[in-house]
Amino acid sequence: MYKRLIQTLLPALVVLLSGHAIATQAADDAVTSSEQSPHELIETVTDDLLQMIDEHRETFDDEPQAFFDSLDCLLTRVIDFKWIASNVMGTYRAEATDEQREQFVETFHRDLIETYGRGLISYGDETIVVLPPKEDLEGKRRVTVVQEIRGKDGVFPLYYSMALNREGVWKITNVVINGINLGKTFRNQFAQRAEKYDGNIDQVIANWSAPSDVMKSEG
């Protein structure tokens, strides 16, 4: 149960693609995010996410897209998907065209929302707690927020790397759980695919959703 929860809940809260929410909603979210500390923001979005899961659990099989759309809008508030996707491309980012970079952001975004959204629906009744900061965060532009998933099988820590963007809004840029660095894992996956397809970035993007040996080894 916990292994499945880690593989699904974490990337949805993390990893971690902004740009598909409507403009007015994005503006409202930016104001809300800028008024909250990074710890408050993670706690608020987690509460909203759990409520969203409850609301869509019974109707998901018939209307999965409704859940994916709601999840997309919610996670856009806290995840810098564009920044994450750019870093996932690693050194291949410099070789890619603007169109390829944009296409990968869109593909990476969609894959995370749909793949991990399906796993989130099966989330149980574990307790999720955001730990208070251990130091004064005043003036900091990069912080780590620690969250714990607590249940009968143990406690699993999540470490969110968060950065203050140019608009003054806190965004998640990476997540580490039990020593597994998701940003690094996805970057290794991209490099593995690029090697497999002889550096053909279009092929990497087209086959991004296929099972990866990197992801299998992490699981």
Side-chain angles (χ1 to χ4, degrees):
M1 171 63 189
Y2 266 93
K3 186 174 182 180
R4 183 174 71 250
L5 179 62
I6 291 172
Q7 293 173 331
T8 56
L9 178 61
L10 181 58
L13 291 177
V14 164
V15 185
L16 345 76
L17 319 171
S18 57
H20 290 300
I22 57 176
T24 53
Q25 180 66 47
D28 291 341
D29 290 340
V31 173
T32 302
S33 299
S34 64
E35 294 175 348
Q36 293 181 305
S37 72
H39 291 73
E40 292 171 337
L41 184 58
I42 291 295
E43 189 164 10
T44 296
V45 172
T46 300
D47 290 343
D48 290 346
L49 176 60
L50 296 180
Q51 181 179 344
M52 182 184 300
I53 293 171
D54 287 338
E55 292 174 352
H56 288 270
R57 197 187 306 274
E58 298 300 323
T59 60
F60 178 77
D61 288 341
D62 295 325
E63 301 177 341
Q65 193 59 48
F67 176 63
F68 295 149
D69 290 344
S70 296
L71 182 63
D72 192 350
C73 288
L74 174 64
L75 296 184
T76 297
R77 290 164 50 184
V78 288
I79 300 177
D80 193 339
F81 285 112
K82 185 174 182 180
W83 191 94
I84 294 172
S86 178
N87 277 271
V88 166
M89 295 184 78
T91 57
Y92 293 95
R93 179 177 61 251
E95 303 175 18
T97 64
D98 289 343
E99 183 178 357
Q100 287 173 324
R101 286 191 287 268
E102 292 174 3
Q103 182 61 44
F104 181 64
V105 170
E106 181 179 344
T107 300
F108 184 67
H109 182 165
R110 183 180 62 250
D111 184 65
L112 281 182
I113 294 297
E114 295 184 1
T115 300
Y116 296 108
R118 293 181 187 281
L120 284 168
I121 286 295
S122 65
Y123 170 76
D125 57 357
E126 289 81 3
T127 300
I128 301 178
V129 178
V130 176
L131 303 186
K134 294 183 178 180
E135 59 181 349
D136 184 8
L137 304 182
E138 183 68 27
K140 292 184 177 295
R141 299 190 64 85
R142 293 183 179 275
V143 302
T144 298
V145 176
V146 182
Q147 188 178 64
E148 292 181 342
I149 302 176
R150 301 172 179 176
K152 61 181 181 180
D153 295 330
V155 177
F156 293 84
L158 289 74
Y159 297 87
Y160 297 91
S161 296
M162 302 192 68
L164 199 62
N165 66 14
R166 295 177 180 178
E167 288 71 40
V169 179
W170 286 103
K171 292 283 187 176
I172 295 171
T173 58
N174 194 22
V175 179
V176 175
I177 180 168
N178 278 2
I180 299 176
N181 185 316
L182 291 184
K184 182 178 180 180
T185 297
F186 284 121
R187 189 160 58 249
N188 289 343
Q189 179 178 335
F190 194 100
Q192 180 191 71
R193 294 283 170 80
E195 182 177 356
K196 177 179 179 179
Y197 296 112
D198 296 322
N200 189 320
I201 295 176
D202 288 330
Q203 285 294 312
V204 174
I205 297 172
N207 292 278
W208 181 254
S209 298
S212 166
D213 290 339
V214 173
M215 296 305 288
K216 290 176 183 178
S217 65
E218 293 291 353

